[in-house]
Amino acid sequence: MSRPRIVIVGAGFAGYRTARTLSRLTRHQADITVLNPTDYFLYLPLLPQVAAGILEPRRVSVSLSGTLPHVRLVLGEADGIDLDGHTVHYTGPEGEGGTLPFDRLVLAAGSVNKLLPIPGVAEHAHGFRGLPEALYLRDHVTRQVELAAAAGDRAECAARCTFVVVGAGYTGTEVAAHGAMYTDAQVRRHPMRTGVRPRWMLLDVAPRVMPEMDERLSRTAERVLRQRGVDVRMGISVKEATHDGVLLTDGTSVDTRTLVWCVGVRPDPLVESLGLPMERGRLLVDPHLQVPGRPELFACGDVAAVPDLNQPGQYTPMTAQHAWRHGKVCAQNVAASLGIGKRRAYRHRDLGFVVDLGGAKAAANPLGLPMSGPAAGAVTRGYHLAAMPGNRVRVAADWLLDAVLPRQAVQLGLVRSWSVPLESSSPEVARVPGGPERPTKDTGPTGKPPDGTETKNQPRDRAAKNQPGGEPAKNQPGGEPAKGQPGGEPAKNPPHGERTARGRSGSPRASGKPRRAVEAAGPRPTRGGSGKASRGTAAGSARKRPTAPSGPSRSAGPPTDPGPEPPANQPPPGPDIAPGPVKRTDGRAAEGDS
């Protein structure tokens, strides 16, 4: 008798924990496969430290094959699930298609960036949910400070030295806190000729910083930010974004070349294609993390609406702490469905939150005990070391080196602006041009089959935009953006790329042209989730539908030149500023909102 086949879509906090626990429970009695666009689990809570130059990127990337024994890794993005046929359809990193049969399926696809219909944001802002975005932000901030130092015009210098972060949740707060320290260190060594100092702004419509946390911790975080010179503005957000700055909702205009979008996350749109009951974009499951009526289907992490048994009528929030615990319970219940062990319902106890504010500063309330200052900093870093499934010694070594040596403020130039559009199906993977052609689908201009029908549970590409239900990004264990990484739909108005036409379901389609004809116009990048993230919560996962028909596919090997050039027929992004308005070539007007 053949062994049961278990497929896990996504390797974020929920997916990774599910795979690790199942590997231990089944003991070679089942074939476990993880489908993920990257070969690592990303520990999102420490991503701001990568952007600030404290940690090297590989420190927060835990090898899947190296830490998941007896688990098969398949690189790719899920683009369709046939529940009746018990198969998952995916697209590999080099454009090849594939199918994975299953007896049990675990959906842990995570979350994607939550966008709002604000003109210019999709074109000029960048998210913070994957390594490419963190590396881009580090290079971009470094470049802006260097260009400002060489500028003789005070207005230009001030604009380049102004950095706007939208979203005062865990991710946005940590990005602003670490970013202010990073740019201050640069300016101390290379003062501006005009005397201008770097200026960081943190905006949010919420009444206070990190409203999810205890009010005392919120005040602690805001006090640290203001001491570092961060301009914290609550009750205010962006009304419009342009190439040269942003217009705020209070009528204020701010000249800037940097807009970081950290407003929150929403569930990965992959689950919408299943046609099953949803709750604010999340797949409804029972307390055992099983989809009612589908005994072979389980879901956990950000894509699952899990009943909160401690608060009847509520669902567990999209945080890393919950995603990590979901994974363990889900693995136990999957094993129980195969006759190994017993089922258990998901219950949780709040362990508190930790927010790293850089240096020795932090805000934390482990087990409900509010803490601040160096003590909170020690607890925060200790928690991260204990929570990471690998690389602990390397992370601790980087922290030690950062404490005794100055940071290296250099540009690596590995990620370009157009490679990390805000709207990306996988923020964890940078867009590159010139990749192999992706498999075509036999669909019409509307995204439906030629006969106009749409079969339930048929592999489809759904990417609903601005779906209700996106929750604020939570970035720390116990309050970080749920992991199960980036997902999302193809880019709409992506930087330096054409916006793809979408069918009724919001999925990328060929806008009525034959795929090859569209691709002749040149490769185009697509867009991205969360966070999440995980950032604090943890991180991303595999899933997403294929990228825009003519969008560039990912390349397995490193580029042979210093970096890929922008897509054909598109203007270059300049010295690393967000690209200007997209010029469409398909005869339709470009939209300004997301």
Side-chain angles (χ1 to χ4, degrees):
M1 179 177 175
S2 62
R3 296 189 298 178
R5 299 160 298 184
I6 304 172
V7 174
I8 302 170
V9 179
F13 274 65
Y16 181 88
R17 185 78 182 279
T18 300
R20 193 171 77 170
T21 306
L22 268 173
S23 176
R24 176 177 56 84
L25 293 176
T26 58
R27 297 182 182 278
H28 309 288
Q29 298 179 48
D31 292 327
I32 305 172
T33 300
V34 170
L35 176 64
N36 200 57
T38 65
D39 63 354
Y40 59 82
F41 158 74
L42 179 63
Y43 191 75
L44 277 173
L46 294 180
L47 203 57
Q49 296 192 25
V50 174
I54 299 173
L55 297 177
E56 290 303 312
R58 285 188 176 88
R59 305 297 187 257
V60 299
S61 309
V62 179
S63 170
L64 296 179
S65 58
T67 57
L68 295 178
H70 316 302
V71 173
R72 176 192 175 204
L73 171 64
V74 175
L75 293 177
E77 298 181 9
D79 53 48
I81 298 173
D82 184 353
L83 292 178
D84 296 329
H86 282 213
T87 55
V88 175
H89 304 267
Y90 70 91
T91 301
E94 296 184 348
E96 73 283 5
T99 301
L100 294 174
F102 65 83
D103 297 304
R104 298 291 185 273
L105 176 64
V106 178
L107 292 179
S111 54
V112 299
N113 284 318
K114 175 185 175 183
L115 294 182
L116 301 175
I118 300 175
V121 166
E123 298 91 339
H124 304 290
H126 289 282
F128 198 81
R129 295 200 39 82
L131 275 179
E133 292 171 320
L135 292 175
Y136 167 75
L137 181 61
R138 179 177 174 180
D139 274 4
H140 175 80
V141 171
T142 303
R143 180 178 294 116
Q144 294 308 309
V145 173
E146 292 172 348
L147 291 174
D153 181 71
R154 186 178 181 85
E156 178 187 355
C157 180
R160 293 192 181 279
C161 275
T162 299
F163 307 95
V164 179
V165 180
V166 184
Y170 298 94
T171 304
T173 299
E174 290 191 343
V175 168
H178 283 280
M181 291 186 67
Y182 180 62
T183 53
D184 284 346
Q186 281 186 273
V187 172
R188 279 195 297 270
R189 291 175 2 190
H190 305 287
M192 304 289 173
R193 292 193 296 174
T194 58
V196 174
R197 300 284 300 177
R199 175 192 182 195
W200 284 80
M201 297 182 65
L202 181 61
L203 314 175
D204 202 308
V205 294
R208 58 187 175 90
V209 172
M210 295 186 298
E212 303 88 359
M213 292 188 69
D214 181 274
E215 189 171 352
R216 291 170 293 181
L217 299 181
S218 178
R219 288 197 300 266
T220 296
E222 183 171 348
R223 182 175 66 251
V224 172
L225 291 172
R226 294 189 183 280
Q227 288 173 349
R228 291 182 183 162
V230 178
D231 185 359
V232 180
R233 300 191 184 186
M234 295 294 98
I236 296 176
S237 188
V238 172
K239 183 178 182 180
E240 180 181 2
T242 66
H243 176 78
D244 299 317
V246 295
L247 177 64
L248 306 185
T249 52
D250 64 354
T252 305
S253 179
V254 179
D255 293 334
T256 181
R257 301 291 189 273
T258 308
L259 180 59
V260 186
W261 192 255
C262 302
V263 297
V265 295
R266 62 184 179 83
D268 189 291
L270 172 66
V271 296
E272 295 174 3
S273 65
L274 302 177
L276 297 173
M278 310 281 288
E279 171 63 28
R280 298 184 67 189
R282 295 196 279 175
L283 191 62
L284 276 173
V285 298
D286 61 23
H288 300 92
L289 306 180
Q290 194 167 23
V291 176
R294 287 286 179 177
E296 78 283 5
L297 181 59
F298 296 78
C300 54
D302 286 1
V303 298
V306 182
D308 189 340
L309 299 183
N310 295 329
Q311 301 183 57
Q314 302 295 319
Y315 297 94
T316 58
M318 297 164 64
T319 69
Q321 187 178 115
H322 282 292
W324 187 251
R325 295 171 176 180
H326 285 175
K328 181 179 180 180
V329 174
C330 184
Q332 292 172 332
N333 292 335
V334 170
S337 72
L338 301 175
I340 303 172
K342 296 181 179 180
R343 291 204 313 167
R344 57 170 290 195
Y346 178 74
R347 291 182 179 275
H348 71 92
R349 178 190 176 197
D350 188 2
L351 298 180
F353 306 97
V354 293
V355 180
D356 187 354
L357 300 175
K361 301 296 181 66
N365 64 340
L367 302 178
L369 176 64
M371 301 177 67
S372 61
V379 169
T380 298
R381 294 201 168 184
Y383 175 87
H384 288 315
L385 286 180
M388 288 192 69
N391 296 346
R392 296 186 181 94
V393 174
R394 290 184 172 91
V395 169
D398 275 3
W399 283 341
L400 177 61
L401 290 175
D402 180 68
V404 298
L405 297 176
R407 297 180 198 174
Q408 294 176 295
V410 296
Q411 304 174 47
L412 299 180
L414 300 178
V415 183
R416 307 293 182 87
S417 173
W418 56 267
S419 297
V420 285
L422 184 60
E423 285 192 279
S424 166
S425 62
S426 296
E428 69 272 29
V429 181
R431 303 291 161 224
V432 296
E437 180 179 346
R438 307 297 287 270
T440 60
K441 290 189 178 183
D442 190 15
T443 55
T446 63
K448 297 182 181 180
D451 60 3
T453 63
E454 201 171 323
T455 305
K456 194 172 183 179
N457 293 335
Q458 185 73 15
R460 292 176 296 177
D461 180 312
R462 283 192 183 272
K465 292 178 52 83
N466 300 326
Q467 171 179 335
E471 301 189 12
K474 295 165 179 101
N475 158 7
Q476 293 294 344
E480 46 237 329
K483 302 359 35 48
Q485 227 127 294
E489 54 268 24
K492 197 175 191 185
N493 293 333
H496 299 289
E498 253 179 80
R499 201 160 58 85
T500 58
R502 294 175 181 272
R504 188 183 59 152
S505 66
S507 56
R509 302 299 177 192
S511 66
K513 296 182 184 180
R515 167 183 272 280
R516 295 184 182 278
V518 176
E519 290 184 348
R524 298 171 292 182
T526 55
R527 139 175 149 102
S530 172
K532 232 180 171 173
S534 170
R535 257 224 45 16
T537 71
S541 357
R543 68 249 131 237
K544 273 106 264 149
R545 324 88 290 283
T547 55
S550 57
S553 48
R554 299 191 262 286
S555 171
T560 56
D561 57 10
E565 292 302 320
N569 302 324
Q570 295 296 339
D576 188 44
I577 56 179
V582 177
K583 184 176 181 180
R584 298 187 58 84
T585 60
D586 58 4
R588 290 171 29 183
E591 300 177 15
D593 63 17
S594 57

